[in-house]
Amino acid sequence: MQAHDILEPETSLPPATAAEPAPRHRSRGVVIGTGAGAVTVGGGAPIVVQSMTNTDTADIDATVAQVAALARAGSELVRITVDRDEAASAVPHIREKLDKQAVTVPLIGDFHYIGHKLLADHPACGEALAKYRINPGNVGFKEKKDRQFASIVELAIKHDKAVRIGANWGSLDQEMLTHLMDINATSKAPIDARAVMREAMVRSALYSAQRAEEIGLSRGKIVISAKVSAVQDLISVYRMLAARSDYALHLGLTEAGMGSKGIVASAAALGVLLQDGLGDTIRVSLTPEPGGDRTLEVQVAQEILQTMGFRTFVPLVAACPGCGRTTSTVFQELARDIQAHIRDRMIIWRQQYQGVEALNVAVMGCIVNGPGESKHADIGISLPGTGETPAAPVFIDGQKAMTLRGEGIADEFIRIVDDYVSRRYGGGNSMKAAK
C-alpha cells in the first residue's frame, strides 16, 4: 500500500480544531489598592495571582521580607494574618516599610473571630490594608454574628476597602448547615449529606455577600470564595456560585497539601474551573517544606495560568524527560540551571525587555528529538546523548547558529540566551558567535 492510498486529497481531511476555554464568566470588577499598586480582580481583567505570608505579622521585618519576596516572585496581592493586637498594630509599619522599598503590592488582612474588634481598635491597620478577608463561619456566633459581621463591613465602607467573603469547608457556618440538614432530613427525596454541605457553602457565601450589600458595601467591592479540600467538591461549589451570581471569584483548593500532592491537586481543580471560564484570582495553597521557599506557591499559580494559555509570566524551558540515551546528567543540570537563571533574571528583564516573558527555550538531551524541538523554540540546544559525538548544536529562530564543544557548554549557552534576549527584546548589541 502506498502513502497516496492512505491519504486522500487535502479536501478530505477534517478541519483543524483546537480546545478552547469557555468564555470568561461575567463578573463584577473589584479594584484593590490605589495608585501604582492597584489591581483589578474580575470584570474581564487578567486572572490575578495572589499568595499569603506564613510569618508572624507582629514580626515586622520578617513579614516585610516575605511580602517583598512574594511580590518579586510575581504575587500581585499578598494576604497577611491579623489575629491579635500586636499584629494589627504592626500592619501600618509593614506598609510603610514596603512603600520605602517601592514594593506596592496591595496587602489583604486575614481576619477571624475578633476582626471587628481589631479593626475598630486599630484604625491605622484598617487604612493600611487594601482588602479585608472575613469568613462568615467564624466572624461570630449566634446573636453576635450579624452584629460583628456588620461592624467589619461598615469599617470597610468607612475606609473604602474591598472585602473577600470566604466560606471554608473547615469552618462552615454551622447554623446554615444544621438548617439545611434538617430540611433535607424531612424531604421526600433527600440528597447526599455531602451535597448538602456544598449547598451550605454556596448559600453561606452568597447570603453574606448579599447582607454586605444591604449594609451598604458596593457589589464592586466584594470578592467571594468557597474553599474546600477535595477537587470534585471545589469544582461543584464554584460552578454553583457562578450560576447564581456575578461576584468576582477567588479560586483556591484549601489544605492542598505538600509537594507534588498539593501541586497536582491544585492544578487539577483550578485547571477544570479555569477551562470553564471561572475564576478572577487564584491562590495555590501549598504546605511548605520545613524552611522551604514560600514563593513556590506563586510559581505554581503562574505556571498553571501560563500552561493553560491565560497569561504569560516567564519564559518557558522545554526539556526532554531523559531515557537510556541520556545517561549523563548534563542536560538535566543545564535545564535546571537555565530555568533558575531565567527566573532570577526576570526581576530585571521584566523592567527592561517588553515581551520577554513569551520567550521559548529548549534544552534537549540527544539527537532523536533534540534538533527538531530546538528548531521549534526561539533558542534551543541539543546536547550529546550517550555515545554521541561530544558536540551541542544551538538553534536560534529555527536555524542552526553554532555548535558548542568542551567543558563550558552550560555557561556558554546561558551567555547566548542572555545575548539573545538583549538583541531581540532590547535592541542590544548583535549576538557574538560562540567559538
Side-chain angles (χ1 to χ4, degrees), residues 72-104:
R72 284 195 296 270
S75 186
E76 294 156 305
L77 300 169
V78 177
R79 184 157 44 113
I80 60 177
T81 297
V82 188
D83 58 345
R84 62 194 197 280
D85 288 308
E86 292 82 359
S89 63
V91 170
H93 302 292
I94 292 168
R95 179 73 272 168
E96 181 182 9
K97 287 199 170 193
L98 288 168
D99 289 342
K100 287 181 178 178
Q101 296 179 25
V103 178
T104 60

Side-chain angles (χ1 to χ4, degrees), residues 175-185 196 199-200 203:
E175 291 181 43
M176 176 78 72
L177 178 60
T178 300
H179 174 66
L180 292 179
M181 285 291 189
D182 289 343
I183 292 175
N184 188 57
V196 177
E199 178 66 23
R203 289 200 190 188

Side-chain angles (χ1 to χ4, degrees), residues 2 38 120-121 188 194 207 261 279 298 343 369 374 391:
Q2 303 296 316
D121 292 347
K188 292 181 180 179
R194 202 170 187 90
Y207 171 81
K261 188 270 180 186
V298 179
R343 281 201 167 271
N369 292 316
S374 297

